[in-house]
Amino acid sequence: MTATEAAKQIALLEEINAAQATQITALTEELRLMRNALYGRRRETINPGQLHLFEAQVDATETPEAPATPARRKPRKGHGRAPFPAHLPRETIEIDVPEADRCCPECGDAMQPFGEESSERGHIVPARIVVRRYIRKRYSCKAGHAVLTAPMPPGVVDGGKYEASVYSHIAVTKYGDHTPLNRLQSIFKRHGFHLPRQSMWEMLVRLDELVAQPVLRQMRSELLSEDVLHADETPVTFRLEDGKGRKTGYIWGWRNLRDRGDSKVLIEFKTSRARAGPTDFLGRWRGTLLADGYSGYDEVVATNGIVRAGCWVHVRRKFRDALDAGTEAAAVVLRPIQRLFWIERAIKKRSKAEQMSWADLVALRNRVRQQHSVRVLAQIHDAGRELSSRRATLPKSALGKALTYLCNQAEALAASVNDARLPIHNNGAERDLRHVAMGRRNWLVFASERGGEVASRLYSLLLSCKEAGVEPEAYLEDVLHRVATTPASDIASLTPWGWRAAQQTSP
């Protein structure tokens, strides 16, 4: 072998060794992340000790208006035994000393009553099925001309077997409490009542047709009148109609700004994660869309001229993964990212203490973010560029991926600094889809594409009820009675927030 050939062979081996070393590093990081996902803590908490080594000194010009470091929390005191809420019904049970025992144990004289003491214990009345028997009086003409009978109260279905309360209970139990229909069937059976799963499914379909579809058309119209929207998506599995397998579909979640008051949530089911999801929902909507870095939003953003806003929680999560994978240098970026969240907590705490209006909150955010967050944002990107320039930072490593995401989303991540209406994260939409993910652990798959569509619409109603502080069973039962007689022009009164307003104003 000549010297030239030997040099080429050595260079080739060195290249192979470098590639293998890179692969080993990437696989080691992936293994640590998988172990952490399986056995580590689920919450995205960060141990301050992990960041102290790289902690930068806080600028002395920062004012108490929005401290750059979190205030030290006072230790919580035990709250003791909390009383039962005042709105719960009370059942009074009087307990008296037997008359034969009302003598003084010392002198034997009869004892006199001088007061009483009370205590409360919680008691549960198990759910039970009540059969309503309607007995209608009949009247006839003496001459035999006619027969008169009192009309039946309107039902969900003409001649139907079940009241609206059963429809609403099944919907809330399945989509609110994540109880699959086979378990619900077993619960009814335990109470001595057989209600087949197919019958329950047909009732959910009927509820979807009568209430969810018309109300959600109004909810979508109101949601698209907002200037700012949150968006997120999560995968779900559904069975194909021909029964020949399963496919991955996606639940898309949409909501308005949480801080403004009435939170409006809408869930849609799509058979894929394609760009048709946001394109079909948004139509020609223009405004600010707060979402993660998924490219499926790019087309509608470009076509409609939508302002894209980024989520700092996603950025923090990626650098946290890099830190958990053993790359301590990630703390250089994590520390100022944490400072961004501390500033937002200070703003929220002050606005809550002073009970600020939406306009005052926006003004406070704008002032504090311009004074503090702009500088912290520059520190984050400076630290990111410095890490990217290091030879030890591999593009395919957890840190390299986090830095790439930070760089690609730089403009979107700066949107919250430029627009004080925006939160710095997309937690509202993620929280909505977490409800779906909790249910997914119980029902595992949608039985069909139609099942996913019905579920998404009923999820929309229940999540909006939760945001509006409305009891969902009472809402669905009442709307089932009213929807047939409510004109299309007044359908807004049947949305969860419209229904709540009507309940508050009614005598």
Side-chain angles (χ1 to χ4, degrees), residues 270-296:
K270 296 291 184 181
T271 57
S272 73
R273 200 188 182 195
R275 57 192 179 188
T279 300
D280 292 345
F281 179 82
L282 294 175
R284 297 182 179 180
W285 179 82
R286 299 185 64 182
T288 300
L289 182 65
L290 206 162
D292 57 25
Y294 175 48
S295 60

Short mmCIF file of all heavy atoms in Angstrom, two decimals, residues 270-296:
data_model
loop_
_atom_site.label_atom_id
_atom_site.label_comp_id
_atom_site.label_asym_id
_atom_site.label_seq_id
_atom_site.Cartn_x
_atom_site.Cartn_y
_atom_site.Cartn_z
N LYS A 270 -59.93 15.84 12.22
CA LYS A 270 -59.52 15.67 10.83
C LYS A 270 -58.80 14.34 10.69
O LYS A 270 -58.18 13.85 11.63
CB LYS A 270 -58.58 16.82 10.39
CG LYS A 270 -59.23 18.19 10.39
CD LYS A 270 -60.27 18.32 9.30
CE LYS A 270 -60.85 19.73 9.24
NZ LYS A 270 -61.88 19.85 8.19
N THR A 271 -58.88 13.77 9.51
CA THR A 271 -58.27 12.46 9.29
C THR A 271 -56.77 12.54 9.06
O THR A 271 -56.13 11.51 8.89
CB THR A 271 -58.93 11.76 8.10
OG1 THR A 271 -58.82 12.61 6.94
CG2 THR A 271 -60.41 11.49 8.38
N SER A 272 -56.21 13.75 9.04
CA SER A 272 -54.76 13.88 8.86
C SER A 272 -54.30 15.18 9.49
O SER A 272 -55.11 16.00 9.94
CB SER A 272 -54.39 13.86 7.37
OG SER A 272 -54.78 15.08 6.75
N ARG A 273 -52.98 15.37 9.49
CA ARG A 273 -52.39 16.59 10.03
C ARG A 273 -52.06 17.59 8.91
O ARG A 273 -51.31 18.53 9.10
CB ARG A 273 -51.10 16.23 10.79
CG ARG A 273 -50.65 17.28 11.78
CD ARG A 273 -49.28 16.93 12.35
NE ARG A 273 -48.82 17.90 13.34
CZ ARG A 273 -47.58 18.00 13.78
NH1 ARG A 273 -46.65 17.19 13.30
NH2 ARG A 273 -47.24 18.90 14.68
N ALA A 274 -52.65 17.40 7.77
CA ALA A 274 -52.33 18.22 6.60
C ALA A 274 -52.76 19.66 6.81
O ALA A 274 -53.53 19.99 7.71
CB ALA A 274 -53.00 17.64 5.36
N ARG A 275 -52.29 20.51 5.92
CA ARG A 275 -52.56 21.95 6.03
C ARG A 275 -54.03 22.28 5.82
O ARG A 275 -54.46 23.39 6.11
CB ARG A 275 -51.73 22.69 5.00
CG ARG A 275 -51.97 22.23 3.56
CD ARG A 275 -50.94 22.76 2.61
NE ARG A 275 -51.18 22.29 1.24
CZ ARG A 275 -50.33 22.49 0.24
NH1 ARG A 275 -49.20 23.15 0.46
NH2 ARG A 275 -50.60 22.03 -0.96
N ALA A 276 -54.81 21.30 5.34
CA ALA A 276 -56.24 21.55 5.16
C ALA A 276 -56.94 21.80 6.49
O ALA A 276 -57.98 22.46 6.53
CB ALA A 276 -56.90 20.36 4.46
N GLY A 277 -56.37 21.29 7.60
CA GLY A 277 -56.98 21.51 8.91
C GLY A 277 -57.11 22.99 9.23
O GLY A 277 -58.23 23.51 9.39
N PRO A 278 -56.01 23.74 9.34
CA PRO A 278 -56.12 25.17 9.61
C PRO A 278 -56.72 25.97 8.45
O PRO A 278 -57.41 26.95 8.68
CB PRO A 278 -54.67 25.60 9.89
CG PRO A 278 -53.82 24.55 9.27
CD PRO A 278 -54.61 23.28 9.37
N THR A 279 -56.48 25.53 7.22
CA THR A 279 -57.02 26.27 6.07
C THR A 279 -58.54 26.22 6.05
O THR A 279 -59.20 27.24 5.84
CB THR A 279 -56.45 25.69 4.76
OG1 THR A 279 -55.02 25.80 4.78
CG2 THR A 279 -56.99 26.46 3.57
N ASP A 280 -59.12 25.05 6.28
CA ASP A 280 -60.58 24.92 6.26
C ASP A 280 -61.21 25.68 7.42
O ASP A 280 -62.28 26.30 7.25
CB ASP A 280 -60.97 23.44 6.34
CG ASP A 280 -60.59 22.68 5.08
OD1 ASP A 280 -60.29 23.33 4.07
OD2 ASP A 280 -60.60 21.44 5.12
N PHE A 281 -60.60 25.64 8.57
CA PHE A 281 -61.21 26.30 9.72
C PHE A 281 -61.11 27.81 9.62
O PHE A 281 -62.09 28.53 9.84
CB PHE A 281 -60.55 25.83 11.02
CG PHE A 281 -61.11 26.50 12.25
CD1 PHE A 281 -62.29 26.05 12.82
CD2 PHE A 281 -60.48 27.60 12.82
CE1 PHE A 281 -62.82 26.67 13.94
CE2 PHE A 281 -61.00 28.24 13.94
CZ PHE A 281 -62.17 27.76 14.49
N LEU A 282 -59.94 28.32 9.29
CA LEU A 282 -59.74 29.78 9.31
C LEU A 282 -60.36 30.47 8.11
O LEU A 282 -60.75 31.63 8.20
CB LEU A 282 -58.24 30.08 9.37
CG LEU A 282 -57.52 29.65 10.66
CD1 LEU A 282 -56.03 29.89 10.54
CD2 LEU A 282 -58.09 30.38 11.86
N GLY A 283 -60.46 29.79 6.97
CA GLY A 283 -61.03 30.44 5.80
C GLY A 283 -60.23 31.67 5.41
O GLY A 283 -59.04 31.60 5.13
N ARG A 284 -60.91 32.83 5.44
CA ARG A 284 -60.24 34.08 5.10
C ARG A 284 -59.88 34.91 6.34
O ARG A 284 -59.61 36.11 6.23
CB ARG A 284 -61.14 34.91 4.18
CG ARG A 284 -61.43 34.24 2.84
CD ARG A 284 -62.29 35.13 1.96
NE ARG A 284 -62.56 34.52 0.66
CZ ARG A 284 -63.29 35.08 -0.30
NH1 ARG A 284 -63.83 36.28 -0.09
NH2 ARG A 284 -63.48 34.45 -1.44
N TRP A 285 -59.89 34.29 7.49
CA TRP A 285 -59.61 35.01 8.74
C TRP A 285 -58.23 35.63 8.71
O TRP A 285 -57.26 35.04 8.24
CB TRP A 285 -59.72 34.05 9.92
CG TRP A 285 -59.43 34.68 11.26
CD1 TRP A 285 -60.28 35.41 12.02
CD2 TRP A 285 -58.19 34.62 11.98
NE1 TRP A 285 -59.66 35.81 13.18
CE2 TRP A 285 -58.37 35.34 13.18
CE3 TRP A 285 -56.95 34.03 11.73
CZ2 TRP A 285 -57.37 35.47 14.13
CZ3 TRP A 285 -55.94 34.17 12.67
CH2 TRP A 285 -56.15 34.88 13.86
N ARG A 286 -58.13 36.84 9.24
CA ARG A 286 -56.86 37.54 9.38
C ARG A 286 -56.73 38.03 10.81
O ARG A 286 -57.67 38.54 11.39
CB ARG A 286 -56.76 38.72 8.42
CG ARG A 286 -56.85 38.34 6.96
CD ARG A 286 -56.63 39.55 6.07
NE ARG A 286 -55.29 40.10 6.23
CZ ARG A 286 -54.84 41.18 5.60
NH1 ARG A 286 -55.65 41.84 4.77
NH2 ARG A 286 -53.62 41.61 5.77
N GLY A 287 -55.57 37.85 11.37
CA GLY A 287 -55.33 38.27 12.74
C GLY A 287 -53.98 37.75 13.18
O GLY A 287 -53.05 37.62 12.38
N THR A 288 -53.86 37.43 14.47
CA THR A 288 -52.62 36.89 15.02
C THR A 288 -52.89 35.47 15.49
O THR A 288 -53.82 35.24 16.27
CB THR A 288 -52.11 37.75 16.19
OG1 THR A 288 -51.87 39.08 15.73
CG2 THR A 288 -50.83 37.17 16.75
N LEU A 289 -52.10 34.53 15.02
CA LEU A 289 -52.27 33.12 15.36
C LEU A 289 -51.11 32.68 16.24
O LEU A 289 -49.95 32.74 15.85
CB LEU A 289 -52.30 32.27 14.08
CG LEU A 289 -52.51 30.77 14.28
CD1 LEU A 289 -53.89 30.49 14.86
CD2 LEU A 289 -52.33 30.02 12.96
N LEU A 290 -51.44 32.24 17.45
CA LEU A 290 -50.43 31.78 18.39
C LEU A 290 -50.41 30.26 18.37
O LEU A 290 -51.39 29.61 18.73
CB LEU A 290 -50.77 32.29 19.81
CG LEU A 290 -49.59 32.45 20.78
CD1 LEU A 290 -49.99 33.35 21.94
CD2 LEU A 290 -49.08 31.13 21.30
N ALA A 291 -49.29 29.69 17.92
CA ALA A 291 -49.19 28.23 17.76
C ALA A 291 -47.73 27.83 17.87
O ALA A 291 -46.83 28.68 18.03
CB ALA A 291 -49.77 27.81 16.41
N ASP A 292 -47.47 26.52 17.79
CA ASP A 292 -46.10 26.04 17.79
C ASP A 292 -45.50 26.22 16.39
O ASP A 292 -46.10 26.86 15.52
CB ASP A 292 -46.04 24.58 18.25
CG ASP A 292 -46.91 23.65 17.40
OD1 ASP A 292 -47.17 24.00 16.23
OD2 ASP A 292 -47.33 22.60 17.90
N GLY A 293 -44.34 25.61 16.17
CA GLY A 293 -43.65 25.83 14.90
C GLY A 293 -44.06 24.90 13.78
O GLY A 293 -43.36 24.82 12.77
N TYR A 294 -45.20 24.22 13.90
CA TYR A 294 -45.63 23.27 12.87
C TYR A 294 -45.84 23.98 11.53
O TYR A 294 -46.53 25.00 11.44
CB TYR A 294 -46.92 22.58 13.32
CG TYR A 294 -47.52 21.67 12.29
CD1 TYR A 294 -46.76 20.74 11.60
CD2 TYR A 294 -48.88 21.75 11.99
CE1 TYR A 294 -47.30 19.91 10.65
CE2 TYR A 294 -49.45 20.91 11.04
CZ TYR A 294 -48.66 20.00 10.37
OH TYR A 294 -49.21 19.18 9.43
N SER A 295 -45.27 23.40 10.47
CA SER A 295 -45.31 24.03 9.16
C SER A 295 -46.69 23.96 8.49
O SER A 295 -46.92 24.62 7.48
CB SER A 295 -44.28 23.37 8.23
OG SER A 295 -44.55 21.98 8.08
N GLY A 296 -47.61 23.15 9.04
CA GLY A 296 -48.94 23.05 8.45
C GLY A 296 -49.71 24.36 8.47
O GLY A 296 -50.68 24.52 7.71
#
